[in-house]
Amino acid sequence: MKGEKKMENIKDKIFASVGIVLVIVIFFIVFWLLFYQESTYYTRIDNTKVEQLNSKDMRFEYTLNAYNQKGDSKEVTFKTSRELKDDAYLKLDIMITRGVKSWEEVQYDDLPDKVKEHYN
């Protein structure tokens, strides 16, 4: 009898330990996806595709095609406080959960070669 109880206690502890480890792993995966998963895309400003908003801070919304280093396309939407310079190239930092996190203007020569192919 005592041997069976010890085995049950050991099994219970193993199941509890595995459960705790799984919860921790899932937590870190979700945390990584929410806060650290980031990719870089590049786009060119087209002010014919800007929409004016009735917001005090972010007054303009752009929806543009953007390309990553491999040349893969993605439609991105982001807001700005001012209208951007037409035909300017932007580097966009995009998170899965938040969309465009930040952007900065870059020169054509700074674009990856696969991205340049889309803007020749």
Side-chain angles (χ1 to χ4, degrees), residues 64-118:
L64 303 167
N65 285 326
Y67 305 92
N68 65 11
Q69 288 183 340
K70 297 176 186 175
D72 298 331
S73 175
K74 176 180 189 170
E75 186 176 79
V76 296
T77 300
F78 62 98
K79 297 175 184 176
T80 66
S81 59
R82 62 183 170 86
E83 190 169 341
L84 302 176
K85 185 172 79 172
D86 205 32
D87 291 328
Y89 295 98
L90 297 183
K91 176 183 173 185
L92 308 169
D93 293 321
I94 301 174
M95 293 183 72
I96 290 173
T97 55
R98 292 177 43 195
V100 176
K101 183 181 92 172
S102 65
W103 57 267
E104 68 176 297
E105 188 172 335
V106 294
Q107 299 301 313
Y108 177 81
D109 293 336
D110 296 331
L111 299 174
D113 291 335
K114 294 281 186 179
V115 175
K116 287 179 184 177
E117 293 174 8
H118 293 281

Side-chain angles (χ1 to χ4, degrees), residues 15-109:
F15 285 127
S17 298
V18 169
I20 290 170
V21 168
L22 284 175
V23 168
I24 291 171
V25 167
I26 290 170
F27 172 78
F28 279 107
I29 290 171
V30 169
F31 186 80
W32 181 75
L33 286 173
L34 289 176
F35 298 105
Y36 288 103
Q37 179 62 21
E38 187 175 298
S39 54
T40 301
Y41 279 78
Y42 300 86
T43 191
R44 181 170 58 187
I45 296 301
D46 179 356
N47 281 327
T48 64
K49 297 183 179 184
V50 66
E51 181 181 331
Q52 265 194 301
L53 304 173
N54 292 328
S55 173
K56 194 174 189 179
D57 296 329
M58 296 297 183
R59 297 181 5 216
F60 299 93
E61 182 175 77
Y62 288 87
T63 300
L64 303 167
N65 285 326
Y67 305 92
N68 65 11
Q69 288 183 340
K70 297 176 186 175
D72 298 331
S73 175
K74 176 180 189 170
E75 186 176 79
V76 296
T77 300
F78 62 98
K79 297 175 184 176
T80 66
S81 59
R82 62 183 170 86
E83 190 169 341
L84 302 176
K85 185 172 79 172
D86 205 32
D87 291 328
Y89 295 98
L90 297 183
K91 176 183 173 185
L92 308 169
D93 293 321
I94 301 174
M95 293 183 72
I96 290 173
T97 55
R98 292 177 43 195
V100 176
K101 183 181 92 172
S102 65
W103 57 267
E104 68 176 297
E105 188 172 335
V106 294
Q107 299 301 313
Y108 177 81
D109 293 336

